[in-house]
Amino acid sequence: MSPSSSLMASRPEGAPVDPTGCDPTIRSASEAALRERAPTVIPVAVDLTFSRSRTMSDLLAHLQASLGDEYALEREMTGTQMARLFIARERVFNRAILITVLSRENVHGLDFEQFATEVGQAAALNHPGIVPPLMIGTADGLPYIITPYVPGVSLRDRLVEQPALSLEEIVSILRSLAESLHVLHTAQQCHFDLNPDTVLVTQRTALITDTGTTRALRVSRPDGSAFVGNASHLAPEQLSPTDAPDSRADLYAWGSVAYEMLTGMAPYPRSVADGCVVDAPHEQPAPISLVRRDVPATLTRLIMRTLARDPAARPATADDILQVLQTVDVSERAMAERSLTPAYVATVDGAPTTSKKTATTVPIVVRKREMRRVAAIAAAVVAVIGTTAAFMMHTPEPPEEAPLAPAPVAVIAHSTTVLPLAVVGGAGDDVLLGAGLSAELASQLARNGVLVAATTSAGTLRANGIAPREVARRVGVASILTGTMKRQGDVLHISIALLSANDAQTLWSAQFDRAVGELFAVEDEIVRNVSAKVQGTPGISAAGVVAVGTRVPDAHLLLLQGHAFAHRASGGSVAEAMAHYRAAIARDTGYARAYASLALSCATLSELTSSAEPVLLDECASAARQAVARDSTLADAYTALGWLDAIHGRNREADKQFRRSLALDSTVAVAWGWYGVLATHVGDYATAHARVVRARQLEPESPRARAWDAQVFFGEEKYDRAEQAARPIPRLDSTLSAAVMTRAEALMALGRDTLAIALLEPRVDASTEDVGSEAHALLAYAYAVNGQEGKARDMLLAIRDKSGRLLPPRATLALTLAALGDRDSALALLARAVEKHDPTLFTFNHARRFESLRKDPRGAALFASIERW
């Protein structure tokens, strides 16, 4: 009995589906339709009630029964995530066949009639690169497909278990796949699941298997948009419930398979959770050149085109791919020439040089009597060159300059500064409270019209043991507010005094013994009296000078502790400040001051770490908007909004926000500093210097203010002055990465990349930041321009692996790729960095190191767009 007649006899025509044996969501084919496909279709209702307790032998028995006497099952092969595979043998001709039994998860709700129709269309294909279906049927309620058995291994097994494919083998496989796709698409069909598991590699060629299966499953289920196929090789439109994929999805898969053959991994690694695909970030795949340097640029460009997320940006047809492949030369001679091609390295003057050179032999005719003289001269020249090279490679870093004695600065009339309150016998939280209370008093005094300067600088000097009067002299203020604090339970004992910087005379003093809940009233009294003395006006009698913003004491205490962390201005301390501000908001969701402080801290962390992480910037924007909505007089909120607008290229909006911030409080150094960097971005260096000078006047001891100074000099291409300005900063604050980065940039611009590496390596080794940080990126670039290509590539690979196997969109990484000779990948990554508004481009867009990319028309267009920000 034939398989067809045997299985048809198992269910009489018109008989109802057994409710205990068949899934009611499956619609079986009508008898008339089944008779039309009798040679190729074995009609049986699909049963999805298979018990997990059934053994493997049960499935084998059902499968053998379905096959009948014409075939004999032999063994099971390694399956895929979609199906189990079995080998059977045809008894008459002794030919082996492959039986693919679909997994139960993939056939839920399957319309078997439509599924059979779709698979039947693929059976009509006749091409040596396509393994066609011969017959379909069901066994124990699971559909199966019979195809010819072709000896060979899957491309997945070939990549995992055997030596790496040669470039010639890879191109041969890619040609075979493109030819098969061309035939498939010409027949108005698509594969939709091309991946290393569905490609069969034989001694002669590569074949596509599972043809029509994925498409049939997709259109034969009620949830046709649900995930079907290999997640990491599906085109983006296949993951969307609204998009309708076409043949260009197969071209994407072709590029994905090509990328994996060359690099050992999929371009966009994805995972599947609860039946849904977790897509990778929409970034550019790591360049192929990081792993394979023998790949022709033509092939690399073709692969990256096929991987475009927009189908319209991909090649239109598989034939277009074949046309390009005809131009790819993988002969031994061409590969040898590519291996000698020097990698591009930018120099100070912008002219290209190389990290390694190929010698050219020029015949020279020398008379015998001159041989000794020539040899002696040559030896001397070699010795001189060797000595010079050694000296250049090992130039010692100039000795650190001894710190100069601080010169007194001009005293600003009617000004004051606030020293951190000295905490008597207090624990850590009390110390934070004392420092935070001082910062809050300075902020409230400034809001009340008092010129408050150098609060951070004064605190730094006082921590170094400088006497209060000397502190006032160094920062140039007319008076200084100082005091002590002691906490006993819920009672605060605060002793505070306003001293004249000229003669240390006490201008005003007070003693407070109040409950913590009365801290608002204490702040108000201090601000009213100090304002009157500093400004020379009568005491203010009206209450409510201090903008409290909350009636929850715990929220205010958390705000003050956050201030203490924020004023330390290092990455770790700012993160701690943010945690305290979030806690304050949790205590009082209407606390505008906490929102404003959180927004400014987010912006500060973005600057300190050279990070444009969307989560961080989104929190910054949200907190700033919440603050402004509750209190439109908070300068910190507008300063944060100015930073956000600046790094996102909204120059006009940034200018408005900084103006608004400084109109509310002109004593905030960070607002002046960022306002100066904004001027640097648009090339207005005179204005940039003036604003940074103002920031340094307000905070003369601030390392950040000196770092802004160095950044302006760097943008102005005054690299010597930038390096000099940045050099002493680590002595003042070793955590300020912006200063180290600016100095390393300046050293490389001066051609002293060896010193830059010596500066960056210890910092990267000791860094607690992720491998993908700007410091790591800059070190990779330093290695590249120094000719240490191996280290540069290793660093890039480490960054890639740490970042989900995708290079982060950083301009410095793009420069590194260009220095390693991969200009196409460099420009593609630079485009992503521009799109993501990498802060490096905001600060250093005029830097000479970008000159090599500016010379390319594509790069010139990108930088033109940056300068229009």
Side-chain angles (χ1 to χ4, degrees):
M1 180 180 293
S2 69
S4 178
S5 60
S6 171
L7 290 172
M8 289 178 64
S10 65
R11 180 173 175 266
E13 181 178 352
V17 175
D18 183 355
T20 65
C22 298
D23 189 326
T25 63
I26 302 299
R27 299 191 301 266
S28 63
S30 68
E31 185 69 25
L34 293 172
R35 288 198 188 100
E36 294 176 1
R37 293 191 297 272
T40 58
V41 179
I42 304 176
V44 174
V46 181
D47 178 8
L48 298 183
T49 60
F50 179 77
S51 172
R52 295 183 182 272
S53 63
R54 296 186 188 180
T55 64
M56 173 63 190
S57 59
D58 293 329
L59 177 58
L60 287 173
H62 283 87
L63 184 57
Q64 183 64 73
S66 178
L67 293 172
D69 297 332
E70 295 182 9
Y71 301 98
L73 282 172
E74 291 188 346
R75 68 183 187 278
E76 182 174 8
M77 299 177 62
T78 303
T80 68
Q81 64 185 51
M82 290 183 60
R84 295 170 68 173
L85 306 178
F86 298 88
I87 296 294
R89 188 162 297 277
E90 191 178 30
R91 298 183 189 275
V92 176
F93 297 105
N94 196 32
R95 292 180 300 191
I97 61 167
L98 179 69
I99 305 172
T100 303
V101 182
L102 299 181
S103 65
R104 200 164 301 278
E105 293 77 9
N106 277 290
V107 298
H108 179 70
L110 183 70
D111 184 337
F112 186 73
E113 181 178 0
Q114 188 173 10
F115 176 76
T117 300
E118 294 291 336
V119 174
Q121 292 177 0
L125 295 171
N126 183 19
H127 185 268
I130 300 175
V131 180
L134 301 177
M135 182 180 294
I136 68 171
T138 63
D140 200 33
L142 295 177
Y144 65 80
I145 301 172
I146 296 178
T147 60
Y149 173 69
V150 181
V153 296
S154 72
L155 180 58
R156 171 77 62 211
D157 292 339
R158 174 63 181 84
L159 293 175
V160 172
E161 298 176 1
Q162 300 183 34
L165 291 164
S166 68
L167 184 60
E168 186 176 7
E169 290 174 314
I170 290 173
V171 172
S172 176
I173 292 173
L174 291 177
R175 282 201 186 100
S176 296
L177 296 180
E179 290 172 357
S180 299
L181 288 177
H182 177 61
V183 171
L184 191 66
H185 296 165
T186 302
Q188 304 299 311
Q189 297 188 49
C190 299
H191 192 282
F192 286 155
D193 191 25
L194 184 67
N195 67 78
D197 290 312
T198 60
V199 173
L200 188 65
V201 180
T202 67
Q203 292 181 349
R204 295 183 177 181
T205 186
L207 297 86
I208 297 178
T209 66
D210 291 354
T211 308
T213 304
T214 300
R215 173 184 170 85
L217 285 172
R218 185 181 180 99
V219 302
S220 305
R221 301 191 307 184
D223 57 343
S225 60
F227 160 68
V228 178
N230 184 295
S232 292
H233 293 276
L234 294 181
E237 61 267 27
Q238 291 179 267
L239 306 179
S240 170
T242 57
D243 292 344
D246 55 24
S247 60
R248 292 171 297 183
D250 286 343
L251 305 188
Y252 177 96
W254 179 93
S256 184
V257 170
Y259 186 96
E260 181 163 350
M261 282 196 290
L262 289 166
T263 67
M265 63 181 64
Y268 294 103
R270 303 186 180 107
S271 59
V272 180
D274 299 326
C276 298
V277 178
V278 181
D279 200 2
H282 292 185
E283 307 294 356
Q284 193 76 8
I288 294 171
S289 61
L290 286 184
V291 180
R292 299 284 293 255
R293 299 203 64 193
D294 59 342
V295 183
T298 303
L299 180 57
T300 299
R301 293 191 192 103
L302 174 62
I303 294 170
M304 300 313 291
R305 276 186 63 202
T306 62
L307 292 175
R309 287 186 172 268
D310 180 6
R314 301 171 199 155
T317 66
D319 189 57
D320 292 338
I321 292 177
L322 286 170
Q323 295 301 320
V324 176
L325 287 177
Q326 296 301 323
T327 67
V328 175
D329 188 355
V330 291
S331 65
E332 291 184 6
R333 179 178 178 180
M335 292 173 64
E337 290 175 354
R338 279 194 295 273
S339 67
L340 293 176
T341 301
Y344 178 87
V345 177
T347 57
V348 176
D349 61 4
T353 181
T354 58
S355 61
K356 58 180 180 180
K357 300 183 181 297
T358 304
T360 302
T361 303
V362 180
I364 301 176
V365 178
V366 183
R367 296 179 181 179
K368 291 182 179 180
R369 65 176 176 269
E370 297 177 347
M371 290 291 287
R372 291 184 179 178
R373 181 183 176 191
V374 171
I377 293 174
V381 170
V382 169
V384 170
I385 291 175
T387 303
T388 304
F391 175 77
M392 293 178 66
M393 291 296 292
H394 300 285
T395 304
E397 184 169 1
E400 294 285 354
E401 299 173 0
L404 299 175
V409 296
V411 176
I412 305 172
H414 304 294
S415 64
T416 192
T417 192
V418 183
L419 291 178
L421 295 179
V423 177
V424 179
D429 287 347
D430 292 341
V431 174
L432 291 175
L433 179 60
L437 179 57
S438 302
E440 177 70 3
L441 289 172
S443 176
Q444 295 290 2
L445 285 166
R447 295 188 68 187
N448 202 40
V450 177
L451 182 54
V452 182
T455 299
T456 300
S457 298
T460 301
L461 292 171
R462 190 72 184 96
N464 291 331
I466 308 299
R469 186 179 177 187
E470 176 63 14
V471 169
R473 186 187 74 87
R474 289 197 187 184
V475 299
V477 293
S479 61
I480 190 165
L481 187 65
T482 184
T484 61
M485 185 192 80
K486 183 177 181 179
R487 182 173 181 174
Q488 291 180 314
D490 290 333
V491 177
L492 291 176
H493 304 280
I494 299 174
S495 177
I496 197 160
L498 180 68
L499 307 178
S500 168
N502 183 40
D503 53 12
Q505 179 183 353
T506 300
L507 303 177
W508 173 82
S509 64
Q511 177 73 38
F512 301 95
D513 300 293
R514 306 280 183 87
V516 173
E518 300 179 57
L519 189 56
F520 302 125
V522 173
E523 292 175 22
D524 186 79
E525 186 171 343
I526 293 172
V527 170
R528 285 191 292 109
N529 285 279
V530 172
S531 297
K533 291 296 181 180
V534 173
Q535 295 172 327
T537 58
I540 303 173
S541 57
V545 170
V546 171
V548 176
T550 183
R551 293 296 178 186
V552 182
D554 285 349
H556 190 60
L557 291 177
L558 286 166
L559 178 84
L560 298 183
Q561 292 172 350
H563 288 346
F565 283 111
H567 274 256
R568 297 176 186 175
S570 66
S573 66
V574 173
E576 285 284 352
M578 291 166 59
H580 280 76
Y581 295 143
R582 293 189 192 106
I585 292 170
R587 295 288 198 283
D588 182 356
T589 57
Y591 199 0
R593 292 291 310 284
Y595 283 112
S597 297
L598 176 60
L600 186 60
S601 293
C602 289
T604 299
L605 189 61
S606 173
E607 179 209 20
L608 292 176
T609 59
S610 299
S611 170
E613 291 295 331
V615 173
L616 179 64
L617 299 185
D618 288 347
E619 183 176 20
C620 180
S622 175
R625 287 193 294 266
Q626 294 281 359
V628 171
R630 290 165 171 77
D631 185 347
S632 61
T633 68
L634 297 174
D636 286 355
Y638 295 111
T639 302
L641 289 172
W643 169 259
L644 285 174
D645 285 331
I647 66 172
H648 282 91
R650 300 184 288 264
N651 288 339
R652 293 180 184 275
E653 291 81 358
D655 183 79
K656 291 178 183 177
Q657 300 292 8
F658 285 132
R659 287 178 181 273
R660 192 174 301 171
S661 169
L662 292 169
L664 291 168
D665 185 354
S666 63
T667 68
V668 180
V670 69
W672 284 108
W674 288 349
Y675 202 14
V677 177
L678 176 66
T680 302
H681 175 71
V682 297
D684 186 357
Y685 300 113
T687 300
H689 279 299
R691 291 170 181 170
V692 172
V693 165
R694 178 61 173 154
R696 290 198 62 178
Q697 287 175 339
L698 290 169
E699 291 289 359
E701 298 293 324
S702 170
R704 290 177 72 193
R706 297 189 183 203
W708 295 323
D709 214 16
Q711 289 174 2
V712 175
F713 282 128
F714 186 91
E716 206 174 4
E717 297 189 20
K718 295 180 179 178
Y719 300 123
D720 279 322
R721 297 196 65 180
E723 195 274 332
Q724 292 170 7
R727 190 188 306 172
I729 296 177
R731 291 202 308 267
L732 303 173
D733 184 356
S734 61
T735 68
L736 190 57
S737 61
V740 177
M741 310 292 279
T742 303
R743 187 184 177 202
E745 297 263 20
L747 287 170
M748 283 188 282
L750 293 168
R752 296 158 65 187
D753 37 81
T754 303
L755 290 180
I757 291 172
L759 180 68
L760 290 169
E761 280 184 332
R763 189 166 194 88
V764 166
D765 290 341
S767 175
T768 58
E769 299 175 1
D770 286 341
V771 173
S773 70
E774 183 64 19
H776 293 81
L778 191 59
L779 180 57
Y781 176 63
Y783 283 142
V785 299
N786 191 246
Q788 300 185 53
E789 294 187 11
K791 287 188 174 182
R793 291 179 189 280
D794 287 345
M795 182 65 75
L796 288 178
L797 289 170
I799 293 172
R800 178 203 66 176
D801 293 342
K802 185 68 175 180
S803 304
R805 296 187 175 181
L806 299 170
L807 282 181
R810 290 185 178 275
T812 305
L813 294 176
L815 279 174
T816 307
L817 292 173
L820 292 173
D822 192 346
R823 184 180 294 270
D824 289 330
S825 296
L827 289 167
L829 191 60
L830 179 65
R832 295 291 294 156
V834 172
E835 180 185 345
K836 294 293 185 179
H837 293 91
D838 178 9
T840 301
L841 292 172
F842 167 61
T843 308
F844 299 124
N845 61 304
H846 291 286
R848 195 182 299 173
R849 63 180 175 139
F850 288 111
E851 195 63 30
S852 62
L853 293 179
R854 285 179 181 274
K855 290 182 178 180
D856 188 291
R858 295 167 291 176
L862 289 172
F863 280 99
S865 69
I866 294 172
E867 287 154 13
R868 289 194 297 269
W869 283 1

